[in-house]
Amino acid sequence: MKTAGLAGLAVAGLLAACAGAPRPPLDADAPRHGYLSDEAKADLAAGVAPRPVAGSLEDMADHAASERMRALDGGERWLLATLHAEVRPPLGQQSFDCALGVRFGAEPTPKLDALMTRVLLDANDVAERVKAANPRLRPIGEDRERRACQTIDAAARSSDSYPSGTAAVAAAYGETLSALAPDHADAVRASANQIALSRVVCAMHYPSDVTGGEAVGRVVMSRLVADPAYQADLLAAKAEIDAARARNQTSPACAAERSAYRVPLP
């Protein structure tokens, strides 16, 4: 199960994912607010480094790296990137199935879904605040004929690129799931980084957008770990994670994922 497995799953990813944030949670009953106050999020956003200066060496390196990614268009790693485009619970945590040795979706995980939704809202909101101060077109915005890895409209194609909200959410997810399954922390954080890199693979972001997004995710988590409500929800979700691991089920997509990760990034 290699490219065929990814291709089948990618259809759902292309249909479900839509660029531009914030997006409403998939579950109508999901939380609509994160853990952090507006003041806390504004403070965190103010501390994030700005985007590379247009025309700088870093900016030119970003564009060159994005151009190299065209070689992956339509291949295994690109198809995996289409799946990574959907980070909203409950689908979003399925990108961590293989790292955790579980099969999310086999049984409902409402407490984990609520926890991850609130983490997403905080990480994405801080990323959006940074974007507002750092206008930068996405690769698919600069080249409007370039294929996107998800359903996208004209407004989303023209939306800002720095920092990557998906990378911010992935990094925050990685820290949260590492706290829930510390014995799998290295694998979980590696998966979070691959989700972030997928945004470069499929031309939604430049490398520095992803690096900036991951920094946002980590700084959000540095604040959340001291939040009593977050810690209470983390404890409540632990039972669901433990139950998922105890079922000893694995995702049929893991072989395809391993194959895709072996594809070197150009």
Side-chain angles (χ1 to χ4, degrees):
M1 181 179 176
K2 293 187 178 181
T3 304
L6 282 173
L9 290 172
V11 172
L14 281 163
L15 293 175
C18 180
R23 300 190 296 264
L26 290 171
D27 184 350
D29 296 323
R32 290 300 193 270
H33 302 284
Y35 297 97
L36 300 177
S37 67
D38 284 343
E39 292 77 11
K41 288 182 283 190
D43 179 58
L44 292 174
V48 176
R51 57 152 289 187
V53 175
S56 66
L57 290 177
E58 186 177 8
D59 183 57
M60 289 189 288
D62 271 350
H63 282 75
S66 183
E67 283 298 310
R68 292 194 298 271
M69 294 298 166
R70 290 180 187 269
L72 302 179
D73 195 332
E76 284 187 83
R77 188 62 184 82
W78 191 91
L79 288 171
L80 184 59
T82 71
L83 298 177
H84 287 165
E86 180 56 87
V87 293
R88 292 173 296 175
L91 296 178
Q93 54 258 42
Q94 292 180 19
S95 291
F96 293 91
D97 278 0
C98 305
L100 288 167
V102 302
R103 189 173 182 181
F104 286 128
E107 297 289 340
T109 52
K111 295 185 186 303
L112 178 64
D113 295 351
L115 167 69
M116 300 293 263
T117 296
R118 295 187 72 181
V119 168
L120 177 151
L121 291 170
D122 281 334
N124 186 70
D125 193 8
V126 174
E128 288 296 303
R129 289 167 185 258
V130 179
K131 281 186 181 185
N134 289 272
R136 185 191 205 186
L137 280 175
R138 300 174 184 270
I140 58 164
E142 293 202 349
D143 179 356
R144 302 188 74 83
E145 299 302 315
R146 193 165 179 180
R147 186 159 67 135
C149 69
Q150 57 197 98
T151 303
I152 194 165
D153 58 20
R157 190 175 283 272
S158 300
S159 61
D160 288 319
S161 192
Y162 182 90
S164 167
T166 299
V169 171
Y173 279 2
E175 294 308 306
T176 294
L177 291 172
S178 293
L180 290 167
D183 54 328
H184 285 251
D186 288 345
V188 164
R189 290 186 176 113
S191 288
N193 179 243
Q194 289 290 346
I195 294 167
L197 289 175
S198 285
R199 307 305 283 165
V200 183
V201 169
C202 66
M204 296 302 295
H205 289 285
Y206 294 104
S208 65
D209 301 335
V210 164
T211 302
E214 290 180 312
V216 168
R218 287 191 291 269
V219 76
V220 166
M221 291 310 302
S222 72
R223 190 70 62 94
L224 284 185
V225 293
D227 186 275
Y230 170 80
Q231 288 296 334
D233 287 349
L234 194 71
L235 183 62
K238 183 72 164 58
E240 293 179 349
I241 288 283
D242 291 345
R245 296 179 66 185
R247 286 192 290 272
N248 201 30
Q249 293 178 306
T250 56
S251 169
C254 288
E257 180 181 282
R258 288 191 296 271
S259 178
Y261 285 157
R262 286 194 291 269
V263 176
L265 300 184

